[in-house]
């Protein structure tokens, strides 16, 4: 296999970071030599491997090394489009001709990808989409020319520090402007969509896809406060847009990729050949799925009950089911469920009830098979391939059951518990007790916190209690280690739990943590004179708030990368 990955004249095979097949599976797009853009390895080199003749050919000849981003085959498999140097290019696989589709790109005028804030908070990286007929490409253009730069100081790559400018709209600053365009591959002509924008406050378009046709786009448009979402259809020929579905929230509206990362690279769930689509909303107090007609005039509730859809596994339209993860009874765990797509079915748990913990299923498009991953706090991760919906292992070996039998919760010093405060708030928590714990002794406590809408700490997965920055062994050194998920953390406990911190960051989340700590300080084996707290990012902010608001509780703390002043963080999250 390695020999097949050697380009002509090369002694070494390509180091494959990822790969994609063309639609007809005759060609392979290989991604290699990758470099980071902010958090992810999204730029590198791309090669096309022809499975018929075994030949490799590098794309983007003449472009700088490791400069191509998001390369993908056209649906007909004849071309590949990619971004390089803030511009979009299309390369004909038969002739090798490279055609620029945009030419005005630069650090402040970004075609086909995004500025820092869109990437960080909306998960927007890949900023262009092939039309189904392979004749057009729709794309974002982000205009950051009026967005001020934040200077990062690079002190590590040379003796003399270097200032690195980053287009960075802080809280209170207008967002970078956006445009959605559709470019004709043959002529290079760009039609811009007419999308309403607030000229004073600005707005956002975090999602855009082809609307199950090559004549219309569908976008999600958010106002600056992100509490009104409008789904709009855009005619790519005229550029005219019309709103088909509106949703409002008294706090904010989470976009789909923020809780289901499978959609971070794009995607829209169309049903009935584009006559309907599946949409998620928290408007009844829980995150549920709805069928929405293309004109937005009809909607059908698909999932129903006092539970949150944690993420969508697959939509089996032929079989009439949607498969998803949820955990109605324990917010620290995750299980596979399904229900009828027409909204008339009941919630059906597919896991064995005794397999307590966190399950993740990656289902095949036809919903017949899945890769099943499992762990809990005392069972190391296991993976197996199973049939669906019976979840029987394809090789007949019940690896999950076998792993659970081998695991012994009594052999670990980890425990999960609930703590209820004087405010009547009940929270999930975990605790790691010291080795050779003696209830007659008193032990210092270290709290690990995050507390904000981007992070859940208390999950029943293997390794969740590990202090990943501490090189020693806190348990052997005599510390109790605890983490608690307060109101405002993104746990599956309903909309009110998650949105209760709106405009109250530093207040609600901090009081919940402090009041929980006070309950824990009542335990006879806790040394109340030695209570510590630490966290990163939002957890760093929480550490500072806890220490200065409740100094009678927390005696020491480590705040890593805190937002010490909310006006210094980006507008999308902090506002």
């Amino acid at each position: 296999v390695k020999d097949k990955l050697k380009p002509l004249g090369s002694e070494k095979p390509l180091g494959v970071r990822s790969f994609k097949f063309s639609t007809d599976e005759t060609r392979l797009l290989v991604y290699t030599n990758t470099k980071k853009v902010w958090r992810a390895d999204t730029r590198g080199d791309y090669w096309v491997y022809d499975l018929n003749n075994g030949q490799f050919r590098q794309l983007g000849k003449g472009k700088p090394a490791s400069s191509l981003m998001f390369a993908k085959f056209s649906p007909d498999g004849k071309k590949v489009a990619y971004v390089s140097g803030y511009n979009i290019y299309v390369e004909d696989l038969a002739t090798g001709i490279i055609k620029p589709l945009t030419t005005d790109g630069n650090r402040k005028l970004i075609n086909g990808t995004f500025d820092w804030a869109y990437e960080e908070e909306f998960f927007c990286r890949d900023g262009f989409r092939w039309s189904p007929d392979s004749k057009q490409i729709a794309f974002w253009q982000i205009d950051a020319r009026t967005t001020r730069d934040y200077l990062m100081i690079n002190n590590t790559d040379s003796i003399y520090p270097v200032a690195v400018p980053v287009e960075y709209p802080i809280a209170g600053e207008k967002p970078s402007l956006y445009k959605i365009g559709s470019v004709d591959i043959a002529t290079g002509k760009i039609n811009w969509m007419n999308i309403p924008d607030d000229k004073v406050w600005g707005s956002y378009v975090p999602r855009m896809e082809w609307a199950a046709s090559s004549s219309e786009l569908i976008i999600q448009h958010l106002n600056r406060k992100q509490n009104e979402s409008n789904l709009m259809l855009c005619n790519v020929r005229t550029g005219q847009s019309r709103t088909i579905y509106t949703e409002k929230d008294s706090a904010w509206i989470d976009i789909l990729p923020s809780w289901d990362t499978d959609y971070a690279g794009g995607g829209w769930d169309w049903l009935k050949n584009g006559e309907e689509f599946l949409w998620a909303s928290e408007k009844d107090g829980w995150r549920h799925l709805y069928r929405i007609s293309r004109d937005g005039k009809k909607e059908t509730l698909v999932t129903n009950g006092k539970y949150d859809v944690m993420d969508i596994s697959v939509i089996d339209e032929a079989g009439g089911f949607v498969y998803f993860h949820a955990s109605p009874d324990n917010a620290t765990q995750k299980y596979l469920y399904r229900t009828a797509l027409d909204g008339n079915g009941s919630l059906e748990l597919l896991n064995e009830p005794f397999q307590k913990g966190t399950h993740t299923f990656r289902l095949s498009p036809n919903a017949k098979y899945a890769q099943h991953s499992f762990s809990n706090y005392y069972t190391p991760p296991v993976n197996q391939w199973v049939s669906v919906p019976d979840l029987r292992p394809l090789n007949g070996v019940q690896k999950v059951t076998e792993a659970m039998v081998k695991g012994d919760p009594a052999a670990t010093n980890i425990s999960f518990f609930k703590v209820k405060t004087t405010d009547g708030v009940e929270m999930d928590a975990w605790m790691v007790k010291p080795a050779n714990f003696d209830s007659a002794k008193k032990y210092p406590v270290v709290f690990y916190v995050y507390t904000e809408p981007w992070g859940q700490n208390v999950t029943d997965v293997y390794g969740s209690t590990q202090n990943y920055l501490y090189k020693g062994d806190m348990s052997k050194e005599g510390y109790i280690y605890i983490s608690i998920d307060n109101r405002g953390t993104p746990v599956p406990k309903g909309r009110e739990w998650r949105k209760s911190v709106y405009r109250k960051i530093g207040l609600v989340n901090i009081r919940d943590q402090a009041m929980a700590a006070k309950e824990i300080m009542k335990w006879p084996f806790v040394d109340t004179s030695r209570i510590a707290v630490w966290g990163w990012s939002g957890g760093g902010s929480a550490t500072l708030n806890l220490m200065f608001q409740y100094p009678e509780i927390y005696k020491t703390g480590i705040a890593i990368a805190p937002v010490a002043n909310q006006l210094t963080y980006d507008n999308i999250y902090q506002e």
Side-chain angles (χ1 to χ4, degrees):
V1 175
K2 286 185 177 181
D3 287 341
K4 291 184 178 181
L5 291 173
K6 290 181 181 179
L8 187 64
S10 174
E11 295 182 0
K12 294 183 178 180
L14 296 175
V16 180
R17 181 68 172 82
S18 64
F19 63 90
K20 303 173 189 174
F21 281 99
S22 58
T23 304
D24 63 4
E25 298 185 1
T26 63
R27 291 187 173 106
L28 198 64
L29 190 61
V30 177
Y31 184 43
T32 184
N33 196 26
T34 64
K35 306 292 182 184
K36 272 193 174 182
V37 177
W38 310 126
R39 291 189 185 274
D41 294 355
T42 51
R43 62 185 178 92
D45 296 329
Y46 284 90
W47 295 71
V48 172
Y49 178 71
D50 192 315
L51 277 73
N52 292 322
N53 58 27
Q55 297 297 309
F56 260 116
R57 183 164 69 82
Q58 186 174 4
L59 299 177
K61 282 292 185 69
K63 305 293 179 196
S66 299
S67 72
L68 272 59
M69 306 174 71
F70 318 119
K72 42 188 178 276
F73 289 111
S74 57
D76 64 12
K78 296 180 180 179
K79 296 178 174 64
V80 173
Y82 47 80
V83 171
S84 179
Y86 307 103
N87 282 309
I88 304 170
Y89 297 85
V90 63
E91 185 163 340
D92 189 290
L93 295 178
T95 65
I97 295 174
I98 300 172
K99 181 177 182 178
L101 300 179
T102 65
T103 57
D104 54 357
N106 56 59
R107 186 176 72 83
K108 288 286 193 172
L109 193 65
I110 305 165
N111 295 298
T113 185
F114 298 89
D115 66 352
W116 186 90
Y118 259 81
E119 172 166 328
E120 177 74 1
E121 309 300 355
F122 286 147
F123 302 91
C124 291
R125 294 181 172 92
D126 179 352
F128 72 91
R129 307 284 186 267
W130 276 104
S131 63
D133 64 6
S134 302
K135 295 180 179 179
Q136 303 166 85
I137 286 177
F139 67 98
W140 277 267
Q141 182 184 82
I142 300 297
D143 185 348
R145 287 176 292 187
T146 59
T147 302
R148 295 177 63 183
D149 285 336
Y150 214 104
L151 296 181
M152 290 199 310
I153 308 302
N154 182 344
N155 289 302
T156 60
D157 287 349
S158 66
I159 297 299
Y160 289 96
V162 177
V164 181
V166 180
E167 61 284 353
Y168 187 87
I170 61 172
E173 292 286 317
K174 186 177 179 180
S176 298
L177 300 174
Y178 61 81
K179 290 169 76 174
I180 300 293
S182 176
V183 56
D184 185 280
I185 302 299
T187 66
K189 184 186 180 209
I190 299 175
N191 286 339
W192 297 105
M193 303 303 105
N194 182 15
I195 301 168
D197 187 29
D198 190 310
K199 294 189 180 301
V200 176
W201 297 107
S203 60
Y204 302 103
V205 175
R207 296 187 68 197
M208 177 272 291
E209 302 290 339
W210 288 93
S213 77
S214 296
S215 60
E216 285 186 313
L217 300 172
I218 190 164
I219 67 165
Q220 182 179 18
H221 181 267
L222 293 176
N223 64 338
R224 171 77 172 271
K225 293 183 76 172
Q226 301 172 65
N227 60 5
E228 181 175 329
S229 167
N230 288 293
L231 303 185
M232 310 181 76
L233 287 174
C234 304
N235 185 302
V236 295
R237 185 178 61 82
T238 67
Q240 293 305 305
S241 61
R242 56 188 175 92
T243 298
I244 60 168
Y245 189 77
T246 298
E247 181 183 357
K248 297 181 180 181
D249 194 291
S250 58
W252 73 88
I253 293 172
D254 283 314
I255 63 169
L256 177 57
S258 70
W259 51 271
D260 190 338
T261 56
D262 290 343
Y263 291 81
W268 205 281
D269 293 320
W270 291 99
L271 302 168
K272 296 177 65 176
N273 295 316
E275 294 180 18
E276 297 179 353
F277 57 90
L278 203 65
W279 192 249
S281 172
E282 296 177 321
K283 60 185 175 182
D284 73 350
W286 300 89
R287 185 188 296 129
H288 281 308
L289 303 178
Y290 296 78
R291 293 177 73 121
I292 309 295
S293 62
R294 190 181 182 93
D295 60 8
K297 294 180 180 179
K298 179 184 177 183
E299 68 176 53
T300 303
L301 179 63
V302 175
T303 58
N304 185 26
K306 293 184 177 181
Y307 64 89
D308 287 303
V309 173
M310 294 171 72
D311 62 67
I312 302 167
S313 294
V314 78
I315 298 165
D316 177 20
E317 189 171 10
F321 289 98
V322 56
Y323 292 79
F324 56 93
H325 292 103
S327 189
D329 302 318
N330 188 325
T332 72
Q333 299 173 345
K334 187 166 69 169
Y335 301 93
L336 183 66
Y337 288 83
R338 74 175 183 177
T339 194
L341 260 178
D342 61 10
N344 293 322
S346 58
L347 184 67
E348 182 182 357
L349 173 66
L350 300 181
N351 288 104
E352 294 286 354
F354 68 87
Q355 293 181 349
K356 301 297 184 184
T358 298
H359 300 261
T360 300
F361 290 84
R362 298 178 62 195
L363 270 74
S364 60
N366 63 5
K368 294 186 182 300
Y369 304 99
Q371 183 187 50
H372 177 197
S373 303
F374 169 79
S375 78
N376 60 25
Y377 71 92
Y378 63 89
T379 307
V382 292
N383 294 278
Q384 62 185 12
W385 288 94
V386 298
S387 56
V388 178
D390 55 21
L391 304 191
R392 291 184 180 180
L394 298 186
N395 63 359
V397 180
Q398 292 280 1
K399 292 178 68 176
V400 171
T401 302
E402 288 182 359
M404 291 193 71
V405 170
K406 291 178 182 177
D408 181 8
T412 177
N413 55 351
I414 300 169
S415 60
F416 281 69
F417 65 98
K418 294 181 184 293
V419 57
K420 192 170 186 177
T421 69
T422 56
D423 300 326
V425 179
E426 186 178 73
M427 291 169 273
D428 289 303
W430 51 247
M431 170 172 55
V432 184
K433 285 183 178 178
N436 302 314
F437 175 76
D438 182 349
S439 61
K441 293 183 178 180
K442 288 188 179 293
Y443 298 92
V445 177
V446 178
F447 285 98
Y448 169 48
V449 295
Y450 183 74
T451 82
E452 294 194 6
W454 258 168
Q456 177 181 4
N457 283 350
V458 186
T459 54
D460 187 3
V461 298
Y462 194 76
S464 68
T465 63
Q466 179 185 3
N467 189 330
Y468 60 94
L469 287 183
Y470 191 70
K471 297 302 181 185
D473 187 326
M474 297 185 72
S475 174
K476 290 181 180 178
E477 293 171 22
Y479 294 94
I480 296 173
Y481 192 40
I482 293 176
S483 193
I484 306 164
D485 277 340
N486 51 265
R487 287 176 295 170
T489 50
V491 301
K493 290 184 177 181
R495 178 205 167 277
E496 183 59 31
W497 177 277
R498 293 187 289 272
K499 302 299 173 66
S500 60
V501 292
Y502 180 60
R503 302 187 73 176
K504 296 175 184 175
I505 287 287
L507 299 173
V508 167
N509 55 326
I510 300 307
R511 179 172 174 82
D512 278 359
Q513 286 285 332
M515 293 304 101
K518 282 189 174 183
E519 295 301 316
I520 289 168
M521 289 167 70
K522 295 176 182 177
W523 297 349
F525 50 83
V526 168
D527 184 346
T528 60
S529 69
R530 292 194 293 165
I531 305 294
V533 58
W534 85 276
W536 188 307
S537 187
S541 308
T543 296
L544 298 180
N545 272 301
L546 289 166
M547 291 192 69
F548 289 108
Q549 290 186 43
Y550 297 93
E552 73 277 14
I553 299 176
Y554 304 95
K555 303 307 179 185
T556 195
I558 303 173
I560 304 175
V563 179
N565 179 345
Q566 292 189 29
L567 292 177
T568 63
Y569 202 62
D570 75 67
N571 51 11
I572 296 176
Y573 180 79
Q574 205 65 54
E575 291 178 3

